[in-house]
Amino acid sequence: MISSPEAARIVLVTKAHLFKPTYPPSKEKMIGPEALFFHQGAYHSRLKKLVLAAFLPSVIRGSVSEIEQIVLKFLPTWENTTINTLQEMKRYAFDVAMISAFGHKRDSEMKGIKQLYQCLEKGYNSMPLDLPGTPFHKAMKARKQLNETLRRLIQERRGNEKAGGGGLLGNLLGAKNHKVDQLSDSQIADNVIGVIFAAHDTTASVLTWVLKYLHDNRDLLEAVTREQDGIQRKIIEENRRLTWDDTRHMPLTTRVIQETLRRASILSFTFREAVEDVEFEGYYIPKGWKVLPLFRTIHHCADFFPQPEKFDPSRFEVPLRPNTFIPFGNGVHSCPGSELAKLEMLVLLHHLTTSYRYPFILSFSP
């Protein structure tokens, strides 16, 4: 287990070729063995470039209006009712992930995909017992159906260039050059499934913690609301909608998200496996042994973050020590959708704070 920033950087960046990503076989089977998470080398590099191209700031800035429309339909459903915060955040993040993955979508297609995903998710962390009636068996059955659904969609879009629809799927479908053939249907399906799974689950968890920390820190909530009210006044004066540039002028709200990422550390650690015998800072790590960089331990170290248990967004007003804040991982396997995640959080918080007022009646279970 690696708990220093310098050691984590060696494993994830400077000596990353010696430590391959590794996951339990059941997870790999459920997401798909050809997803980029499970690979390194040329195949991984090619896929990473394609996935990153779908989540560049220059690309996702055009999604602000679509994300905002999701929020405007989503928030009113909370009124006069009791909600499960995490499940509602998953619902929101999933809808955003659908736009990013498929571009212009048909609701009929997306409804079926969403239902299969929900079944898949229920079995993801279950015991890998592939017996009738178990959550894992139901999830694997849904995974097979999801694969068939995506393959039909892929074939349709291959046969009709106008139906490409943009998004991650459009990027993967158009991926070929003089040296490399186009990706197979199974490669595309595995990577779409994997990216959506990663995109909606972690973002939903972070948003749930953001709401809790704002609920518990009312002075901070009021300050965030003032910042967002100022942006809202400008929007009304100029008779327009929220824009990408507006989200670049939310410094306090951004720091609240950053501090939530540190304090909650949704991605607590990551798995790596030594691909050969490695001498590491005086330790011998045999080939095949697991190496775990512990992000939560780094984020909660008092040497880097004084009073680490305190929720204090002002920490991010000054530059941090290198490699001490790595909520999205680091190196070639860092999260490609980090900018989209931050964008959808900012859009939701803007409308939540400007259209509604605390106190909400909130209950958070451990």
Side-chain angles (χ1 to χ4, degrees), residues 12-13 16 36 39-40 44-45 48 52 272 330-335:
L12 299 174
V13 183
L36 80 164
H39 295 270
Q40 59 183 164
H44 173 268
S45 297
K48 184 67 177 286
L52 275 173
R272 292 291 183 269
N330 200 359
V332 295
H333 289 280
S334 60
C335 174

Side-chain angles (χ1 to χ4, degrees), residues 313-359:
S314 68
R315 303 176 194 277
F316 293 90
E317 293 176 358
V318 297
L320 301 176
R321 176 175 163 180
N323 307 307
T324 57
F325 183 61
I326 41 179
F328 296 103
N330 200 359
V332 295
H333 289 280
S334 60
C335 174
S338 58
E339 289 302 318
L340 175 65
K342 288 183 279 190
L343 175 63
E344 63 187 282
M345 291 181 214
L346 291 169
V347 174
L348 177 65
L349 290 171
H350 170 76
H351 284 285
L352 184 61
T353 55
T354 58
S355 301
Y356 299 87
R357 286 292 181 265
Y358 281 81

Side-chain angles (χ1 to χ4, degrees), residues 189-202:
D190 285 0
N191 281 283
V192 169
I193 290 170
V195 168
I196 294 175
F197 201 98
H200 92 280
D201 191 64
T202 51

Side-chain angles (χ1 to χ4, degrees), residues 54-177:
F55 296 106
L56 291 171
S58 59
V59 175
I60 63 173
R61 67 182 299 149
S63 302
V64 173
S65 61
E66 290 181 284
I67 295 173
E68 186 177 36
Q69 287 304 310
I70 293 173
V71 172
L72 292 174
K73 291 179 181 179
F74 170 75
L75 287 179
T77 65
W78 288 12
E79 295 175 5
N80 303 313
T81 189
T82 301
I83 66 163
N84 179 305
T85 309
L86 177 59
Q87 293 307 315
E88 289 299 299
M89 293 301 102
K90 283 186 176 182
R91 187 161 67 93
Y92 166 59
F94 188 88
D95 286 348
V96 175
M98 289 293 96
I99 292 173
S100 303
F102 298 106
H104 302 297
K105 58 189 177 64
R106 293 201 299 263
D107 289 340
S108 58
E109 291 174 343
M110 297 307 109
K111 185 177 180 180
I113 290 173
K114 186 173 185 177
Q115 290 173 341
L116 292 170
Y117 245 98
Q118 289 171 340
C119 186
L120 182 66
E121 184 183 35
K122 288 179 181 177
Y124 184 72
N125 288 318
S126 65
M127 289 289 290
L129 300 174
D130 199 1
L131 299 173
T134 63
F136 184 81
H137 181 81
K138 292 177 182 177
M140 290 308 302
K141 185 177 179 179
R143 175 62 176 82
K144 183 178 179 180
Q145 293 175 316
L146 184 59
N147 193 59
E148 293 170 355
T149 300
L150 287 177
R151 280 175 178 266
R152 287 196 298 270
L153 182 59
I154 290 166
Q155 287 299 323
E156 176 188 327
R157 296 197 181 183
R158 281 197 198 278
N160 183 358
E161 292 184 5
K162 292 182 179 180
L168 173 62
L169 179 57
N171 278 20
L172 297 177
L173 283 170
K176 62 180 179 179
N177 54 40

Side-chain angles (χ1 to χ4, degrees), residues 264-276:
S265 289
I266 303 301
L267 183 63
S268 298
F269 60 88
T270 188
F271 283 103
R272 292 291 183 269
E273 180 181 313
V275 299
E276 60 184 64

Side-chain angles (χ1 to χ4, degrees), residues 219-243:
D219 290 345
L220 188 57
L221 171 62
E222 291 175 3
V224 168
T225 301
R226 286 194 298 272
E227 177 175 85
Q228 296 301 331
D229 280 342
I231 293 171
Q232 182 67 5
R233 283 193 297 271
K234 185 177 180 182
I235 289 172
I236 293 172
E237 290 171 1
E238 298 175 1
N239 190 28
R240 58 177 177 79
R241 305 300 309 180
L242 187 71
T243 66

